[in-house]
Amino acid sequence: MDNRLLSKTSKYLIITSFVLVFLGTLIVNTPAWVLNIPLTKYTQGKLRLYNLTGSFWNGSGLLVALNKKSQQTDGSPLISLKWQVSLGVSKYINVKLNLGTRDIANIYLNNKGLNVDNLDLSLSVIQVSQLSDVITDLKLSGNLQINTKHLLIAKTQKTGIIYINAHDISSGVSPVNPLGSYKVALDIGTNLINVNTISDDTILSLNGNGSTSALTLKAAIDPSKTEQMKTFITLMGVPNADGTFNLKLF
């Protein structure tokens, strides 16, 4: 009786060990493409990883911005990312993102939802052209510095502000460039946008508030450049009494 019980116990232990080893191997070797599942979900299909190497836990890939109207194979390459994923108690899944040797964000999932801490990213306007038709229509170029301290994305709420410093913005339809530099604050909870001009030597001043669905800014042209900017001014519509324009971006 004891021998039969011992034999059964040994058999169960062997099976259990085999299952645990199999599951452990499966988890450790989780492929990198699995990261595209949450990435697609939380960016609503606007971002995707290509040219993946390594694994889900430690790998790299090319982050690409996609246009909803285009095929998934079309898009604008943003940056080559490296990541390290770890599991924890308070932070169920913790992802550290690196660009070369520099940390650019810490993303983690906890009981509140998806969190993004200390985002610090530099991009060109052309790189994010797939995310906005305005960039394509006005043939914009320049540099973007994107920062945020903390974002929370949950089922019932979104909180946090993304700050974007747009430096030396130029337009392919303007005869004089650069137009200026601007600071944009996007509240992801309310979808409100605030825009202010931050450069002293500015051809086109832009200031105002709006939302991600409707943004009209008060625009003003440097008086010394009015003659050169005649063609561009016609695109801005009828001027206000004070000489400014209501520039509707979307």
Side-chain angles (χ1 to χ4, degrees), residues 125 140 143-148 160-167 169 180-188 191-198 206-212 215 217 249-250:
V125 173
L140 298 180
N143 299 302
L144 304 175
Q145 183 65 42
I146 305 169
N147 300 96
T148 187
I161 299 176
I162 300 173
Y163 295 99
I164 304 171
N165 284 339
H167 296 286
I169 299 301
S181 296
Y182 314 94
K183 184 168 186 176
V184 181
L186 169 60
D187 189 322
I188 68 167
N191 289 327
L192 294 179
I193 300 174
N194 178 264
V195 179
N196 290 291
T197 300
I198 57 176
L206 296 174
N207 297 282
N209 301 283
S211 70
T212 53
L215 179 61
L217 303 175
L249 295 180
F250 49 82

Side-chain angles (χ1 to χ4, degrees), residues 121-134:
L121 187 59
S122 297
L123 297 169
S124 70
V125 173
I126 294 174
Q127 284 178 287
V128 298
S129 60
Q130 293 282 358
L131 302 178
S132 173
D133 292 334
V134 174

Side-chain angles (χ1 to χ4, degrees), residues 4-76:
R4 288 199 301 270
L5 179 61
L6 183 61
S7 177
K8 286 184 178 180
T9 302
S10 299
K11 182 179 179 181
Y12 290 144
L13 285 174
I14 291 172
I15 294 173
T16 302
S17 298
F18 176 80
V19 171
L20 290 175
V21 170
F22 174 77
L23 291 176
T25 302
L26 188 64
I27 292 171
V28 169
N29 293 289
T30 302
W33 61 259
V34 172
L35 273 175
N36 270 319
I37 297 174
L39 181 63
T40 301
K41 175 183 176 181
Y42 287 106
T43 65
Q44 298 179 337
K46 293 180 180 179
L47 298 176
R48 190 172 178 83
L49 287 165
Y50 288 92
N51 300 336
L52 294 161
T53 61
S55 69
F56 171 84
W57 305 100
N58 196 328
S60 64
L62 179 65
L63 185 65
V64 174
L66 301 174
N67 191 314
K68 286 185 177 181
K69 298 176 183 178
S70 71
Q71 299 297 320
Q72 285 195 339
T73 52
D74 298 329
S76 298

